[in-house]
Amino acid sequence: MVDDDGYFGEPVAASYDDSSVEMFAPDVVGPAVEVLAELAGDGRALELGVGTGRIALPLSQRGVEVHGIDMSRAMVARLREKPGGAAMGLTIGDFATTKVAGTFSVAYLVFNTIMNLTSQDAQVDCFRNAAGHLAPGGCFVVEVMVPDLRRLPPGQNTVPFHVGDNRVGFDTYDLATQAMSSHHVKVEGGRGSFRSIPFRYVWPSELDLMARLAEMRLRARWEDWTGTPFSGESRSHVSVWERTGA
């Protein structure tokens, strides 16, 4: 059963920062904040799926006014407890459709969050929602994995992403629908737990078409936040689309 916070309720929020500690490292956060601050300029930034503020808080510390949208009250509560979090504009809601007041120079989604929208329609709605919040010439930025389907031999639908002494993680794929799920098995103190989160993987070219439907055009695409050129061997990408519509 999924609670009102979706798949990121209190049990996940309580340990989220610790379980993703490598994503909070300065050499990971710093380049992302640098890119987003440059795109924001003197304007405002909108984070879709703001979570516990991994990017939003350091971006606001750079002097950028940041507003965040997230469905999880538990994750947002953790953000509010952090220095600077209580003063940040935050809205509870589905980031594919939730509207907030004002316009923004940049809207962004990081760390595969676009895949939390588990249908193509929802992902298209997200692009339209982002574009609707942007000032003319504003940018929408998405950081997301490239589907790693080359690791799937014929007849197999499962790829492990972590195998440790007390934790196993693996992804399952449905190639017909682009549905996937990440499964987490953990054993602590002789007791086991299991958690599964659904996603929908999406290709760069598919995202470009979603952007066109939302009257945006591709401005830049890199393998990572440091500007490494994107290639056929890249396992992730950071893409920037610019609003062209009135």
Side-chain angles (χ1 to χ4, degrees), residues 40-61:
D42 296 329
R44 305 163 70 211
L46 176 65
E47 179 164 357
L48 307 180
V50 68
T52 63
R54 180 180 69 94
I55 299 298
L57 286 173
L59 183 58
S60 68
Q61 291 165 3

Side-chain angles (χ1 to χ4, degrees), residues 148-165:
D148 205 8
L149 303 189
R150 289 187 297 181
R151 297 178 63 189
L152 286 175
Q156 180 175 314
N157 71 341
T158 303
V159 175
F161 59 83
H162 179 87
V163 178
D165 293 337

Side-chain angles (χ1 to χ4, degrees), residues 202-219:
V202 61
W203 300 98
S205 57
E206 189 179 6
L207 293 171
D208 289 342
L209 183 55
M210 293 179 188
R212 289 182 62 187
L213 293 173
E215 298 188 57
M216 295 187 287
R217 63 185 174 198
L218 185 66
R219 175 168 159 179

